[in-house]
Amino acid sequence: MSNYLSITQKETEEMFDAIGISKCADLYADIPLSIKNKPPFNIEKGKSHQQVMDEMAAYAEENTVFKTIMRGAGAYDHYIPSVVKYLSSRSEFLTAYTPYQAELSQGILQSIFEFQTMICSLTGMEVANASVYDGSSAAAEAAFMCVEKDRRVILVPSNVKPQVVQTINTYLRRRNITVKVLGEEEGFVKNGKVDIAALERALNDETACVYFEQPNYFGLIEDAEHICEAVHSKGCKVIMGCNPMTLALLKSPGECGADIAVGDAQPFGLNIAFGGPYLGFMATHTDKETMRRMPGRIVGETKDDKGRRCFVLTLQGREQHIRREKALSNICSNQAHCALVASMYLAAMGKQGLRDVALSCTSLAHYAAQEFTKKGKTTLKFNGEYFHEFVTVSPLKATKIVEKCAKMGILAGLPIGKNEILWCFTEKVRKEDIDRVAALFN
Amino acid sequence: MKLIFERSREGLRCATIRPLEVSPYEFEKSYVRKDLDLPEVAEVDLARHYTELSHNAFGVDSGFYPLGSCTMKYNPKLNEEIAALPGFAKVHPLQEPSTVQGNMHLMYDLAVSLMELTGMDGMTLQPCAGAHGEFTGLLLIAAYLEARDGKKCKRNKVLVPDTAHGTNPASAVMAGFEVINVKSNAEKGVDLDDLRAKVGPDTAALMLTNPTTLGLFEKNILEIEKIVHDAGGLLYYDGANLNAIMGVVRPGDMGFDVVHLNLHKTFSTPHGGGGPGSGPVGCKQQLVEFLPDPSIIADKKGRFHFVRPKHSIGKVSTFYGNFSVMVKALAYIKTLGRDGLKESAEHAVLNANYMKARLQDIYTAETNRLCMHEFVIDLQKLKNETGVSAKDVAKAMIDRGMHPPTMYFPHIPGVIDEALMIEPTETENKQTLDEAIAVLRELHDMAYSDPQYLKDAPHNMPISRPDEVLAARQPIVKYKA
Ligand SMILES: Cc1ncc(COP(=O)(O)O)c(C=O)c1O
């Protein structure tokens, strides 16, 4: 019923005349008759805008929106400042394509340059790309960057986000690359963390790189500097997957010695939105070979012919539209608008605000852990330092706790075992809600 | 324009959060980073900054955007509001399925609509863009062929026409295949003799864009289908150009086995300055069991479940794909409905043909055929006669308040070297098309009367042409104070 056309019957006929046809069907003369207009399309008739709003809202209402979310595991519910929502929805940003035409896209190009700069700041790296799809594809693309002719094994500890390993596997499986996931059985992961001695033993001259997460899936802070040192001592590369929110306080991948930093910047102003769109980021060093292998768009500063500062998509010689089958990645569209939101978020929170958020997350998490385990019936599964996620073990069944929390309007942590829950706390969680959940345990 | 870092002044704050309700946790020194360099601005500074940036950006709402192959149609506002509903925006991807039935239902319905429109039997929404969809679709083909032919399967080659988008060959290599290029014939379609010569027992698939990247319907499509299938290969459909034919003819009925769509093109979701997109992949029955993990199924009681397809290729992204984009696409499909979708396709084709009809007397185009939703003009003759290139004309269009067409794609060295690919889309009105036609005609004249003016264009923008060589030779990729 509704459409987004802007044409009258009279204009349509004028256009028919200009082309020399009498009806729209004439436009499709090249399509063989045997396949044209064949099936009755089993799609409903069009509806009014109001009906569409009603119908779509009905889907939304079938979901439970929790007032309080204590679940993370790859999707983090943070406060999003109003200014970010308003500014980012300006249609010049939202309805533009990739900034191929620099002269009329300086605003977008500059915003990407600013994003790259902020990611470099957070990660302690020298170059960041304009984004990839999400944290998983970032990890997979980074792993591929590290592969050499005779180094084709990627080592991954089992304590990283399961979706990330699965995606790395999907990406690399058909390229004569082995992804080795090593866990507790191999002694590779001990007390929830990577064991450095076991890591050293696992590395050899076929290892291309190690991918690990900081904090890891269980929320624990790894001994990143020693991991990097150990990996480098065997001539391999190291990719550090980070929750970038933690980088407001914790040592950056650059400081730790990582070769490539990747992760998902969803925590920076993006809705959890049932899993997407999120924001894969990737940052590394600027040596020639590493830059050559980096996937995705990169914006660089240059000058116009009057000497004015301006920005362009650069180093395009790496990309599919120039190199075709010789390109190292196929990425074309990325998550540009999410990157815009993230940089607005970072500018809105600012240096101090981001620290406040991070401090709030980790303080609430440590408070919760203390309260949940107060009576000793529930314990933390691991005793290492953590940021804002941790795992509890309790005599109560995990699903029971989830049910009880749901009754209070709280999305509990993620059950990861019969009696184990992975919790996450952000600045949105109230102390009183933590106390109510603690009462279930004690 | 100042950078946000140049607006920063120590101690300023913008957004703030509630005071800590518990005691602050202090990490041991060894965990803690050195300084963190982020901008410090007040809210008004931030608002001015991004508003200034937006004034130096150009979207579909700003004006004509005939960027070929990108389908820059109008992005309805209704869909934005719907996607922002808390029931969509504020739901965690790992909630218990019983609490996200609405989202699963929505994804299920969208997948079914897309299957209907493409003539496919299965659909995944997990890929985040077109190229991601290509990669996913090719992995499906690889998994299927391996299951069909056994481990000894020698089908390691993917055929790609020379007119294909760069992502096609790049995706094929990422999926572990070798790329074999297929030539175009005089009609700018697939050269059947070259195809016959190259297809064989090592062929995994042919990747084809139809309408082609020249905006022409591949007339020999049924013969191509037969050649590839007879040789035991599969057909992959790059759906970037579906906007020309949705509701008119379906890739499935043309004989394709796998197809990817671009919701950020055909289904009106905004491109966001480069993303996020969404690249669903559809396939025929024999490939359904290989789809990414998870798929959504409905039971008899109308409940929805995540399941891992029996021989799934695994995951291609963290959760279920770019969900908000899916929401917008379904709202679009519901608004237009089956007739509206077809009508949109027809008007996309009508608009392109109208522009072509009124330009082809002076610009070289395919004159003896109707085009689909886009057409290519070849400026080689103009360049030979005046020195003015496709790029010069494109840059001069910017001064007239229009986004230029896609430049230098397709590019077949020696055959098409000066392409401008014009895709008006259905949502442009006749006045806009007439203005664009007038501008392009005027620029053509000017190429003869004052070529230097075009070579120096644009004249009215905040910057003139940037030095791209300098940018690449001495990369400055982040701000340094
Ligand atoms: C014909 C064709 N195929 C594939 C793609 C890749 O799509 P995306 O940018 O969404 O990855 C494009 C996009 O420009 C295209 O035009």
Side-chain angles (χ1 to χ4, degrees):
Chain A
M1 164 175 176
S2 310
N3 214 324
Y4 292 102
L5 303 178
S6 169
I7 191 158
T8 65
Q9 188 55 39
K10 182 164 161 283
E11 289 165 340
T12 302
E13 275 153 27
E14 284 166 17
M15 287 166 72
F16 284 168
D17 289 345
I19 302 166
I21 57 170
S22 60
K23 54 185 184 306
C24 277
D26 297 345
L27 293 166
Y28 294 108
D30 279 350
I31 304 182
L33 262 182
S34 62
I35 54 174
K36 200 160 31 179
N37 298 327
K38 212 169 118 199
F41 296 106
N42 192 11
I43 290 179
E44 288 180 53
K45 283 219 170 99
K47 303 199 169 93
S48 67
H49 293 178
Q50 193 179 14
Q51 284 168 301
V52 172
M53 178 48 106
D54 292 344
E55 284 192 19
M56 295 301 290
Y59 289 105
E61 279 152 22
E62 277 179 71
N63 300 316
T64 309
V65 180
F66 289 95
K67 199 172 142 276
T68 301
I69 294 178
M70 299 185 182
R71 189 171 290 189
Y76 300 93
D77 180 43
H78 291 280
Y79 170 70
I80 303 174
S82 312
V83 66
V84 172
K85 292 178 212 164
Y86 276 85
L87 291 175
S88 64
S89 57
R90 289 185 69 89
S91 74
E92 298 88 340
F93 297 131
L94 196 62
T95 71
Y97 204 81
T98 304
Y100 294 132
Q101 296 288 347
E103 296 86 346
L104 88 171
S105 312
Q106 281 302 297
I108 289 180
L109 287 161
Q110 183 176 319
S111 79
I112 298 171
F113 184 80
E114 292 174 355
F115 170 76
Q116 292 173 184
T117 304
M118 293 186 209
I119 292 295
C120 286
S121 255
L122 281 158
T123 55
M125 292 288 180
E126 297 163 332
V127 57
N129 68 12
S131 75
V132 292
Y133 306 130
D134 62 12
S136 296
S137 76
E141 296 258 19
F144 186 67
M145 278 171 72
C146 299
V147 171
E148 305 286 344
K149 227 187 175 126
D150 45 6
R151 285 184 181 269
R152 310 193 70 86
V153 177
I154 319 281
L155 290 188
V156 185
S158 63
N159 65 359
V160 303
K161 283 188 276 307
Q163 299 93 340
V164 177
V165 195
Q166 288 163 25
T167 307
I168 295 178
N169 246 313
T170 312
Y171 263 69
L172 302 185
R173 200 174 32 216
R174 282 188 42 84
R175 306 205 70 183
N176 194 19
I177 296 164
T178 309
V179 181
K180 264 197 199 154
V181 181
L182 300 174
E184 279 180 32
E185 309 81 69
E186 295 87 3
F188 199 77
V189 172
K190 277 201 191 116
N191 193 16
K193 286 170 46 174
V194 174
D195 183 81
I196 309 271
L199 168 67
E200 275 172 342
R201 284 194 299 276
L203 295 162
N204 59 40
D205 52 15
E206 289 179 355
T207 314
C209 66
V210 174
Y211 169 80
F212 76 101
E213 286 176 0
Q214 177 77 317
N216 65 34
Y217 183 54
F218 306 120
L220 300 166
I221 300 177
E222 297 278 3
D223 187 354
E225 281 160 291
H226 286 115
I227 291 178
C228 293
E229 214 178 279
V231 177
H232 284 155
S233 72
K234 295 285 167 70
C236 318
K237 297 242 159 82
V238 53
I239 305 165
M240 192 159 149
C242 310
N243 177 337
M245 185 60 84
T246 68
L247 298 178
L249 298 177
L250 300 184
K251 270 194 181 148
S252 72
E255 283 172 274
C256 296
D259 295 286
I260 307 176
V262 296
D264 202 312
Q266 174 274 326
F268 295 158
L270 294 164
N271 280 311
I272 46 180
F274 202 49
Y278 287 2
L279 175 56
F281 70 85
M282 189 181 252
T284 183
H285 302 285
T286 43
D287 62 277
K288 252 210 159 104
E289 182 56 17
T290 308
M291 289 269 265
R292 189 184 69 80
R293 292 186 181 200
M294 182 132 175
R297 317 255 189 230
I298 298 175
V299 171
E301 181 185 318
T302 185
K303 290 187 170 26
D304 74 356
D305 52 20
K306 299 205 174 68
R308 290 173 289 203
R309 174 172 75 186
C310 59
F311 302 94
V312 289
L313 293 172
T314 193
L315 304 169
Q316 296 191 67
R318 303 161 295 115
E319 292 186 63
Q320 46 75 28
H321 59 288
I322 309 276
R323 289 189 68 78
R324 300 180 72 85
E325 62 265 32
K326 294 194 189 70
L328 298 177
S329 168
N330 66 343
I331 190 164
C332 182
S333 292
N334 52 29
Q335 305 287 113
H337 194 260
C338 305
L340 176 80
V341 169
S343 22
M344 282 183 184
Y345 174 86
L346 289 170
M349 295 319 302
K351 190 178 184 149
Q352 189 52 43
L354 197 73
R355 284 171 186 273
D356 290 351
V357 174
L359 180 69
S360 175
C361 295
T362 195
S363 303
L364 287 165
H366 283 84
Y367 173 76
Q370 175 199 308
E371 293 300 306
F372 290 3
T373 58
K374 207 157 60 183
K375 290 271 162 63
K377 285 189 228 142
T378 294
T379 53
L380 294 193
K381 181 158 188 215
F382 308 110
N383 57 15
E385 181 61 289
Y386 54 91
F387 189 80
H388 66 336
E389 292 183 278
F390 58 80
V391 179
T392 53
V393 187
S394 120
L396 293 169
K397 263 173 77 178
T399 49
K400 261 264 136 11
I401 293 171
V402 170
E403 265 171 44
K404 288 188 173 175
C405 287
K407 290 216 174 82
M408 301 189 281
I410 296 170
L411 179 64
L414 183 72
I416 57 168
K418 211 166 141 229
N419 300 80
E420 294 174 7
I421 295 185
L422 171 62
W423 298 87
C424 173
F425 295 84
T426 71
E427 77 285 3
K428 283 179 80 173
V429 177
R430 309 296 306 235
K431 173 176 176 293
E432 62 190 43
D433 288 323
I434 295 175
D435 294 338
R436 283 156 74 203
V437 176
L440 298 176
F441 285 117
N442 297 316
Chain B
M1 283 185 292
K2 274 189 181 173
L3 288 159
I4 189 77
F5 312 103
E6 293 162 344
R7 292 180 184 264
S8 176
R9 282 161 302 144
E10 207 180 323
L12 286 184
R13 298 292 301 268
C14 175
T16 48
I17 57 167
R18 79 169 74 92
L20 256 186
E21 296 180 332
V22 299
S23 49
Y25 184 77
E26 218 175 296
F27 282 109
E28 252 176 56
K29 277 262 162 5
S30 63
Y31 291 113
V32 179
R33 71 178 292 151
K34 288 203 222 89
D35 194 31
L36 172 65
D37 198 12
L38 285 176
E40 297 171 90
V41 293
E43 183 163 325
V44 61
D45 304 327
L46 191 74
R48 294 267 164 80
H49 179 70
Y50 281 106
T51 304
E52 186 183 11
L53 293 192
S54 78
H55 290 158
N56 288 285
F58 188 96
V60 175
D61 285 5
S62 316
F64 191 40
Y65 214 127
L67 189 66
S69 207
C70 301
T71 312
M72 297 301 283
K73 60 171 76 178
Y74 178 71
N75 309 135
K77 305 303 176 227
L78 171 66
N79 305 351
E80 296 303 310
E81 189 172 351
I82 289 170
L85 292 172
F88 297 134
K90 301 291 177 192
V91 168
H92 194 285
L94 299 175
Q95 281 185 211
E96 282 59 36
S98 63
T99 68
V100 290
Q101 286 292 305
N103 285 345
M104 294 168 79
H105 189 178
L106 184 154
M107 289 172 67
Y108 183 88
D109 284 355
L110 176 61
V112 168
S113 295
L114 297 177
M115 278 149 63
E116 201 50 51
L117 279 165
T118 51
M120 292 287 150
D121 304 313
M123 184 72 59
T124 176
L125 305 173
Q126 204 177 112
C128 296
H132 208 202
E134 292 169 21
F135 173 60
T136 305
L138 289 165
L139 289 180
L140 290 181
I141 289 175
Y144 164 75
L145 289 174
E146 221 164 78
R148 187 188 74 183
D149 301 354
K151 278 281 170 205
K152 61 179 196 318
C153 175
K154 292 264 154 37
R155 296 188 176 271
N156 63 344
K157 298 201 167 61
V158 167
L159 305 176
V160 179
D162 52 12
T163 51
H165 193 262
T167 51
N168 290 189
S171 300
V173 170
M174 272 180 77
F177 293 107
E178 199 183 306
V179 172
I180 304 291
N181 284 296
V182 183
K183 279 198 289 234
S184 299
N185 61 16
E187 285 210 289
K188 312 261 171 48
V190 174
D191 184 318
L192 295 185
D193 291 335
D194 199 42
L195 177 64
R196 280 194 201 95
K198 285 171 178 166
V199 81
D202 58 357
T203 303
L206 168 72
M207 291 182 92
L208 200 65
T209 312
N210 191 23
T212 65
T213 58
L214 280 117
L216 299 168
F217 193 86
E218 179 58 75
K219 280 189 193 165
N220 297 323
I221 186 65
L222 298 179
E223 198 156 353
I224 292 169
E225 184 262 332
K226 193 162 170 354
I227 293 170
V228 177
H229 277 156
D230 283 354
L234 298 191
L235 273 101
Y236 182 96
Y237 184 93
D238 178 333
N241 293 345
L242 191 82
N243 203 46
I245 57 163
M246 60 174 175
V248 176
V249 61
R250 314 191 299 176
D253 298 328
M254 297 177 210
F256 285 88
D257 303 287
V258 179
V259 43
H260 88 258
L261 303 173
N262 297 54
L263 300 187
H264 48 300
K265 297 180 180 175
T266 315
F267 296 92
S268 86
T269 72
H271 207 281
S278 174
V281 172
C283 65
K284 291 275 175 71
Q285 192 57 48
Q286 66 271 26
L287 292 114
V288 169
E289 61 184 298
F290 304 101
L291 283 170
D293 177 25
S295 278
I296 296 176
I297 56 161
D299 67 19
K300 291 201 185 73
K301 289 189 209 118
R303 307 293 294 168
F304 298 90
H305 307 272
F306 284 125
V307 292
R308 184 185 168 93
K310 196 156 147 222
H311 300 294
S312 174
I313 56 163
K315 291 190 75 62
V316 294
S317 66
T318 308
F319 296 111
Y320 321 114
N322 285 339
F323 177 72
S324 308
V325 181
M326 301 170 205
V327 175
K328 297 175 197 181
L330 184 62
Y332 180 72
I333 292 172
K334 279 182 180 289
T335 308
L336 269 63
R338 59 164 179 261
D339 300 330
L341 290 169
K342 183 170 180 220
E343 198 183 6
S344 283
E346 289 169 345
H347 280 275
V349 175
L350 181 65
N351 281 358
N353 276 291
Y354 177 68
M355 280 194 76
K356 179 165 93 74
R358 298 205 37 204
L359 289 170
Q360 63 191 9
D361 59 324
I362 52 170
Y363 285 104
T364 313
E366 191 68 35
T367 45
N368 50 16
R369 272 170 88 175
L370 291 175
C371 65
M372 290 286 108
H373 64 303
E374 66 192 2
F375 62 102
V376 170
I377 52 177
D378 182 354
L379 280 71
Q380 192 62 54
K381 181 164 158 280
L382 187 74
K383 190 174 178 191
N384 294 346
E385 291 173 4
T386 66
V388 168
S389 67
K391 182 173 178 174
D392 298 330
V393 171
K395 297 297 178 192
M397 287 174 77
I398 295 178
D399 277 333
R400 307 303 178 93
M402 286 176 212
H403 194 285
T406 294
M407 312 186 298
Y408 300 103
F409 172 66
H411 181 207
I412 312 171
V415 184
I416 313 174
D417 292 304
E418 289 292 327
L420 285 182
M421 183 198 263
I422 301 176
E423 180 181 12
T425 84
E426 70 277 15
T427 55
E428 295 304 326
N429 65 30
K430 183 163 172 294
Q431 290 71 24
T432 306
L433 303 182
D434 285 336
E435 275 164 36
I437 290 162
V439 165
L440 279 164
R441 296 190 73 91
E442 192 191 322
L443 295 177
H444 189 270
D445 285 351
M446 203 182 259
Y448 291 89
S449 62
D450 189 1
Q452 194 56 41
Y453 187 81
L454 297 187
K455 286 181 197 171
D456 293 338
H459 298 271
N460 306 329
M461 299 308 289
I463 61 158
S464 55
R465 294 191 199 182
D467 187 342
E468 298 189 9
V469 176
L470 175 70
R473 200 167 285 157
Q474 297 163 22
I476 305 176
V477 291
K478 63 175 189 144
Y479 172 75
K480 277 196 207 81

